[in-house]
Amino acid sequence: RQLQESGTRLRGDVNILLLGDPSTAKSQLLRSVMSLAPLAISTTGKGSSGVGLTAAVTTDSDTKERRLEAGAMVLADRGVVLIDEFDKMSESDRVAIHEAMEQQTITIAK
């Protein structure tokens, strides 16, 4: 974030929602962005969970230690996350990624 001399704050991140009728090449456009961006991670709303997109706390089976595993949005930090079929994502999973999109932070509660 940048603070201008006028006191205006500028966000450095842009979120884009691409909408359209079926068969209007939205997925092909995402694939083109994937090939152009230096850092891009692609996923689908149908196959992704909020945890898979943000971060998860897991327990190592050998050492029993807890560890934090980064999701797609963390792995694509300063890059592009492409979520196809966003409408197929459950409401709770959409809520989980809202903080990352709005505040650029991820909170882990475990």
Side-chain angles (χ1 to χ4, degrees):
R1 295 184 183 184
Q2 294 178 347
L3 183 61
Q4 301 293 312
E5 292 178 13
S6 64
T8 304
R9 294 179 194 266
L10 297 178
R11 281 180 43 175
D13 297 317
V14 176
N15 299 313
I16 298 173
L17 177 63
L18 180 63
L19 299 171
D21 290 330
S23 300
T24 54
K26 297 178 299 294
S27 296
Q28 286 79 4
L29 182 60
L30 292 180
R31 278 189 231 122
S32 295
V33 170
M34 181 99 174
S35 67
L36 293 172
L39 174 58
I41 299 209
S42 180
T43 186
T44 63
K46 187 187 293 186
S48 299
S49 67
V51 171
L53 290 169
T54 55
V57 176
T58 60
T59 304
D60 187 286
S61 59
D62 296 329
T63 64
K64 306 297 182 211
E65 291 181 345
R66 289 190 177 183
R67 63 179 175 211
L68 190 61
E69 291 189 14
M73 295 183 84
V74 175
L75 293 172
D77 186 32
R78 301 191 187 274
V80 179
V81 177
L82 306 164
I83 305 172
D84 199 6
E85 300 179 352
F86 195 80
D87 60 318
K88 308 245 182 343
M89 187 180 293
S90 73
E91 184 65 28
S92 63
D93 293 337
R94 279 188 230 146
V95 169
I97 66 171
H98 184 261
E99 177 188 3
M101 292 172 63
E102 178 70 23
Q103 304 297 325
Q104 285 80 48
T105 61
I106 293 176
T107 303
I108 306 296
K110 189 126 189 176

